[in-house]
């Protein structure tokens, strides 16, 4: 039951945070922007103290994961002692707080320029920055106490919490589109088949990695090998294509987007394969993840990410989580279900 309690607690925390606007915002301006959607106010969420969510923490952790892939020795150093792990986590938190402060300042200044700040409120920018930095510190603390989908990986639950909260509104939007004829039954069946197949493949990847990391079951490393590569590939492809457009200019949007998608798929295979270099260091029986298993997982990641993009481009579907986010979402829910069923699954 702890897994379910953790998930519910995170969702309640985000719900409460989304209901608290940044101090100093003009109530009338907020009312004009915010609008209830399926019980959750998306506009209010963007103007709340949880506007940044877990993004700063996730961004710094992605930098760390790049470092772990490039320098596998960092993994061994981190696992050598609890002191090393604590030191590294403290560095992550400090960098996340600094990044949160910079991002919050940009948001606060933009809101001020848009005239959404109460004229009688003083020091809006520093107050808003303080709120966002405080939320980042809170979420960093919370992530350390979550054991879903695996001990040490609680930040993934924080990342998918907004998607889970918006699921009811997405369902209502989809139902309304069916009612007015904007979506056909054929479209619904096709997308439904894809989502069902994607879920089955992701669960299979979880089970495959659960038995590949060590003789004791799944590890933080095996979870990382499944969840990080799609996100890292998106980060790198965005940077590469952004630099290309900045240097050579935008010629054909279709060619640029196609090249970006192809690059992402290649990078997924590359990044997933790099986890072969990193040992499972959670015990004396730890061993490297087998390359055939990693290549199978990479193939599943590619199918899910490419299939999602094709579904969004060919069908007038309101919203499907991105491929990387869909993998995390299914993995978190599978871990929760496996705990309830007292199965090995993704429990660690």
């Amino acid at each position: 039951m702890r897994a379910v309690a953790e998930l519910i607690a995170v969702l309640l925390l985000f719900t409460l945070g989304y209901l608290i606007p940044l101090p100093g915002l003009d109530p009338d301006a907020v009312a004009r922007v915010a609008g209830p959607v399926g019980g959750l106010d998306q506009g209010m969420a963007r103007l709340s103290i949880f506007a940044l969510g877990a993004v700063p923490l996730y961004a710094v952790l992605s930098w760390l994961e790049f470092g772990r892939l490039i320098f596998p020795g960092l993994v061994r150093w981190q696992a050598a002692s609890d002191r090393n792990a604590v030191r590294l986590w403290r560095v992550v938190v400090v960098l996340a707080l600094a990044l949160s402060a910079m991002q919050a300042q940009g948001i606060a200044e933009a809101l001020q320029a848009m005239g959404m700040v109460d004229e009688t409120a003083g020091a809006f920018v520093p107050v808003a920055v303080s709120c966002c930095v405080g939320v980042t510190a809170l979420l960093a603390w919370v992530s350390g106490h979550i054991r879903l989908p695996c001990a040490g990986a609680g930040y993934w639950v924080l990342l998918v919490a907004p998607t889970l909260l918006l699921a009811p509104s997405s369902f209502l939007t989809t139902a309304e589109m069916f009612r007015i004829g904007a979506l056909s039954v054929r479209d619904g069946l096709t997308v439904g088949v894809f989502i069902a197949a994607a879920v089955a493949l992701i669960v299979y990847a979880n089970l495959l990695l659960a038995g590949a990391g060590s003789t004791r079951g799944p590890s933080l490393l095996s979870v990382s090998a499944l969840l990080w590569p799609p996100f890292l590939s998106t980060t790198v492809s965005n940077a590469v294509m952004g630099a290309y457009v900045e240097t050579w200019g935008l010629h054909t949007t279709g060619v640029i987007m196609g090249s970006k998608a192809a690059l992402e798929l290649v990078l997924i295979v590359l990044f997933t394969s790099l986890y072969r270099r990193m040992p499972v260091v959670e015990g004396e029986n730890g061993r490297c993840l087998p390359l055939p298993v990693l290549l199978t997982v990479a193939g599943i990641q590619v199918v899910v990410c490419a299939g999602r993009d094709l579904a969004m481009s060919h069908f007038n579907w309101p919203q499907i989580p991105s491929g990387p986010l869909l993998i995390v979402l299914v993995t978190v829910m599978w871990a929760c279900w496996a705990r309830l069923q007292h199965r090995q699954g993704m429990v660690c």
Side-chain angles (χ1 to χ4, degrees), residues 52-78:
L52 293 177
V55 172
L57 181 62
Y58 158 77
V60 175
L61 286 170
S62 67
W63 302 340
L64 174 61
E65 197 64 20
F66 274 121
R68 286 159 53 92
L69 285 175
I70 297 173
F71 306 105
L74 178 60
V75 181
R76 299 185 181 91
W77 177 86
Q78 180 182 0

Side-chain angles (χ1 to χ4, degrees), residues 10 12 24 36 80 84 109 133 135 143 154 189 203 223 242 264 286 322 338:
V10 170
L12 290 176
N84 290 349
E109 291 176 349
V133 170
V135 168
S143 69
L189 289 175
V203 169
V223 173
E264 285 182 6
S322 67

Side-chain angles (χ1 to χ4, degrees), residues 41-317:
D41 194 331
Q42 296 186 63
M44 190 67 232
R46 292 191 293 268
L47 302 176
S48 70
I49 60 175
F50 269 58
L52 293 177
V55 172
L57 181 62
Y58 158 77
V60 175
L61 286 170
S62 67
W63 302 340
L64 174 61
E65 197 64 20
F66 274 121
R68 286 159 53 92
L69 285 175
I70 297 173
F71 306 105
L74 178 60
V75 181
R76 299 185 181 91
W77 177 86
Q78 180 182 0
S81 68
D82 292 338
R83 185 179 182 183
N84 290 349
V86 170
R87 284 179 175 178
L88 187 58
W89 177 248
R90 287 176 178 172
V91 172
V92 168
V93 172
V94 170
L95 291 176
L97 295 177
L99 181 60
S100 175
M102 290 187 292
Q103 293 178 335
Q105 181 177 356
I107 292 176
E109 291 176 349
L111 291 173
Q112 203 168 40
M114 293 168 60
M116 299 190 64
V117 178
D118 191 339
E119 296 180 356
T120 62
F124 170 73
V125 173
V127 170
V129 169
S130 298
C131 289
C132 291
V133 170
V135 168
T136 299
L138 172 63
L139 294 180
W141 178 82
V142 170
S143 69
H145 292 76
I146 302 175
R147 298 182 64 85
L148 283 176
C150 180
Y155 46 85
W156 292 113
V157 178
L158 302 179
L159 190 66
V160 300
T163 302
L164 289 173
L165 289 175
L166 289 173
S169 65
S170 298
F171 175 80
L172 292 176
T173 301
T174 302
E176 178 63 17
M177 293 184 70
F178 274 116
R179 189 187 68 82
I180 64 177
L183 286 176
S184 66
V185 175
R186 179 181 178 182
D187 291 345
L189 289 175
T190 303
V191 174
V193 168
F194 161 72
I195 293 178
V199 170
L201 287 172
I202 296 168
V203 169
Y204 175 70
N206 276 280
L207 293 173
L208 191 62
L209 285 169
S214 70
T215 57
R216 297 190 306 161
S219 65
L220 175 60
L221 180 57
S222 62
V223 173
S224 299
L226 174 61
L227 303 185
W228 273 118
F231 284 97
L232 299 181
S233 67
T234 300
T235 300
V236 174
S237 64
N238 286 338
V240 171
M241 299 313 297
Y244 175 85
V245 172
E246 183 70 21
T247 303
W248 303 100
L250 182 62
H251 300 291
T252 304
T253 303
V255 173
I256 295 295
M257 296 305 296
S259 300
K260 179 179 178 297
L263 178 60
E264 285 182 6
L265 300 183
V266 172
L267 289 174
I268 286 176
V269 177
L270 173 62
F271 285 138
T272 305
S273 300
L274 287 178
Y275 281 91
R276 175 69 176 82
R277 305 168 56 208
M278 301 199 333
V280 177
V281 292
E282 297 177 355
E284 294 181 357
N285 294 324
R287 56 188 173 86
C288 296
L289 296 174
L291 184 58
V293 170
L294 290 173
L295 291 177
T296 302
V297 170
I300 292 173
Q301 294 165 335
V302 167
V303 169
V304 171
C305 294
R308 184 269 179 188
D309 291 341
L310 288 174
M312 288 296 293
S313 62
H314 287 81
F315 300 99
N316 188 27
W317 205 258

